[in-house]
Amino acid sequence: MLPALGDIKPVVRSSVSDAVYQTLRNKLMHGEYPAGQLLGIQDLANALETSTMPVREALRQLVAQQGLEPMRSGTVRVPLITRERLDDIRRSRVLVEGTVTEWAGPRLTVRQLDDLEQLAAEITVARRSREGLIDSLEKNRIFHYTIYQAAQSPVMLAMIDSLWLQSGAYLRATREFLHTDTIAADRLHESAVMALRAGDYAQARKFIETDVSWVFDRLSAVPDAMSRSGRQRRPRIRSRRE
């Protein structure tokens, strides 16, 4: 006997596609793939232990979001870093993320502000050492997205997703060329939370804008980072078991 329509469960493939997309999305946002790196469909499928179909779907979505660009060979690559692209992404992120922070301010709950304060402290501690950098990147993403999602603007959030995907290579270049264990904490996250608690949303916007600019300003100060980051390369992609 056939089951009633209401008993039919969602197909598994969608879950696999979502998982592949989220995995690649997070890697791009965290700067795990440098500018110019080539990503082959079969290589990714092998590393993620899945078929090529969900990988193709994920890459197609990431290309649409401008986090990747297609190549004639059938692969995709992380876009190259150029001065013009650097400046354009920087000013776009400052404008969009600053605006959304101001929108979000009145909507943030006490619980969310408490979570933001805790995340800010953890980010500052994690950034004190090279070993804590990866952990700080994910916590930084959670910190910012907690604010941006509170604005309840799906249109602006989609723009932010695209801009963060495009920023990954710049984050990677900054990590490689500029990070030292002696960089002083800027405490911009803590300052932003204090301003949000005080209801000074315009000031909170300024702190977030300065925080967003930080990576791009430091990359601009190191010309060698721009030239070396443009080399094409094949990735070493870790499997799920690693």
Side-chain angles (χ1 to χ4, degrees), residues 90 127 174 178 183-184 186 188 209-219:
R90 179 190 184 279
R127 284 180 173 175
T174 304
L178 302 179
I183 290 180
D186 52 41
L188 289 168
E209 289 176 342
T210 303
D211 182 53
V212 169
S213 300
W214 189 92
V215 169
F216 297 95
D217 292 343
R218 279 149 185 76
L219 183 56

Side-chain angles (χ1 to χ4, degrees), residues 121-133 136 179-185 187 190:
E122 292 175 0
I123 291 167
T124 297
V125 172
R127 284 180 173 175
R128 289 175 182 166
S129 69
R130 195 177 300 273
E131 293 73 21
L133 184 60
S136 77
H179 179 75
T180 69
D181 295 338
T182 58
I183 290 180
R187 306 193 71 83
E190 289 92 337

Side-chain angles (χ1 to χ4, degrees), residues 21-38:
Y21 168 76
Q22 290 296 334
T23 296
L24 297 179
R25 171 182 178 272
N26 288 343
K27 285 181 177 294
L28 284 168
M29 284 187 174
H30 291 171
E32 292 191 32
Y33 298 139
Q37 181 159 326
L38 299 172

Side-chain angles (χ1 to χ4, degrees), residues 23 27-28 70 72 76 81 83 93 96 114 116 122 124 134 155 168 171 191 219 226 234 237:
T23 296
K27 285 181 177 294
L28 284 168
R72 291 182 179 180
V76 297
I81 290 178
R83 178 67 59 187
R93 282 195 55 181
V96 173
D114 290 344
L116 287 170
E122 292 175 0
T124 297
I134 298 299
V155 172
L171 179 64
S191 298
L219 183 56
M226 297 285 291
R234 286 274 182 178
I237 306 166

